[in-house]
Amino acid sequence: MVRKFYYLVLMFFYAAAAVLPAFADEYDVHKVLGSWKLDRVYEYASSESPKELVPEEAASLYAEAKNIYTFLSEHNVFTARINDSVESYTMLGSWEEKENEFTVQYDNGGESVYYFDSEQGTLHRYWKETDADAMYHDLDFVYTRVPAGMWMLKHVVSSEDGHDPVILDPESAASLYAEKNNLYYMNDDWRASVTVGAENGAFPVDDPNGRWLINGEKYLFEVDGYEMELVYDEETNELHRYWTDDSADAMYHDLDFVYSQPAPM
């Protein structure tokens, strides 16, 4: 029963995420839609010189670093995927906006308030403690957007020296679009999976060790021996996979495979 409930929640998450508008067009209106994770924590947040705390020295403050929080547009649903060392589970809630303040009410009780920084494109949660004996007194938890959800190849861009980038035609560059019907899942529990041939004879690639993870400024996607290194463009809500070949006789030298979140089928 629990597994069936989570499956329904997960499918709702993908369907809602798939209809997110392009952030480049309505970034200010839909500024928090999508998924977020804790990136860093600052002490003395209200001072002129906040101090960034490192995870190795403030482990308790970074305990939520693997959690993924998702704001959905449909009925203002909020999901918190808790990924700790013991178990992984989903908490449901709802959110409401008042200017740049976003208040989350969890279905089982509890509340969190986030503030959106339009200049940095980050979310902030503040915490204060007046007890002089407390270890921390004035904290700023900073969250950045992550590409959790379902992805599909949108188009392939070719860049050649001396020429403007051009979107290649799927018919004349069929080999480059061979994956165009695949669905790539970057789940909110950091697992990854692939459905091959989504339109015709689809089959899932079942890999219990499939995963996606952050590697510096990039993301790694690994399923059943297949790996992709991806770059996430937050404003357009697109993923990019870059490929280069310096061989003089290569048909293509500089390619950009662009992935977007597909509309519900």
Side-chain angles (χ1 to χ4, degrees), residues 21 34 41 52 64 67 70 83 93 103 124 137-138 159 177-178 191 204 224 230 240 245:
V41 183
E52 181 175 352
E64 60 168 315
N67 297 350
T70 303
N83 299 302
T103 301
H124 298 257
H137 297 88
D138 185 12
S159 299
Y177 284 87
R191 292 184 301 168
D224 197 30
L230 303 164
H240 298 263
D245 188 337

Side-chain angles (χ1 to χ4, degrees), residues 99-160:
E99 296 181 350
N100 280 333
E101 180 179 300
F102 295 83
T103 301
V104 173
Q105 297 284 350
Y106 287 98
D107 291 353
N108 62 352
E111 176 182 291
S112 295
V113 180
Y114 299 90
Y115 299 86
F116 182 73
D117 183 335
S118 58
E119 292 185 2
Q120 300 295 324
T122 53
L123 279 178
H124 298 257
R125 179 173 62 84
Y126 299 104
W127 180 91
K128 288 191 175 183
E129 174 59 67
T130 57
D131 186 347
D133 295 329
M135 181 175 294
Y136 304 106
H137 297 88
D138 185 12
L139 297 176
D140 176 9
F141 295 82
V142 183
Y143 302 81
T144 57
R145 198 184 299 277
V146 292
M150 179 173 62
W151 299 88
M152 197 173 194
L153 181 65
K154 178 182 179 183
H155 54 242
V156 182
V157 178
S158 175
S159 299
E160 299 292 335

Side-chain angles (χ1 to χ4, degrees), residues 168-240:
L168 298 176
D169 178 28
E171 294 186 3
S172 60
S175 63
L176 299 180
Y177 284 87
E179 59 169 315
K180 66 183 179 67
N181 292 324
N182 295 351
L183 291 175
Y184 301 98
Y185 298 90
M186 301 172 73
N187 301 332
D188 59 358
D189 59 359
W190 299 96
R191 292 184 301 168
S193 60
V194 181
T195 296
V196 177
E199 291 185 356
N200 185 20
F203 66 90
V205 177
D206 186 15
D207 179 8
N209 297 316
R211 63 173 187 165
W212 64 281
L213 63 152
I214 299 174
N215 183 26
E217 298 297 319
K218 299 179 181 180
Y219 292 85
L220 297 182
F221 182 96
E222 303 173 349
V223 174
D224 197 30
Y226 176 72
E227 298 182 359
M228 293 193 296
E229 186 176 72
L230 303 164
V231 175
Y232 183 41
D233 187 328
E234 297 179 9
E235 291 197 9
T236 62
N237 194 35
E238 292 177 332
L239 286 170
H240 298 263

Side-chain angles (χ1 to χ4, degrees), residues 7-47:
Y7 175 81
L8 293 174
V9 170
L10 185 62
M11 290 302 100
F12 174 73
F13 164 70
Y14 286 139
V19 297
L20 290 180
F23 294 157
D25 296 331
E26 300 181 80
Y27 195 68
D28 290 337
V29 177
H30 300 280
K31 46 201 166 189
V32 300
L33 296 185
S35 298
W36 303 80
K37 73 171 292 293
L38 180 66
D39 183 58
R40 54 194 183 276
V41 183
Y42 290 93
E43 172 66 304
Y44 314 117
S46 302
S47 70

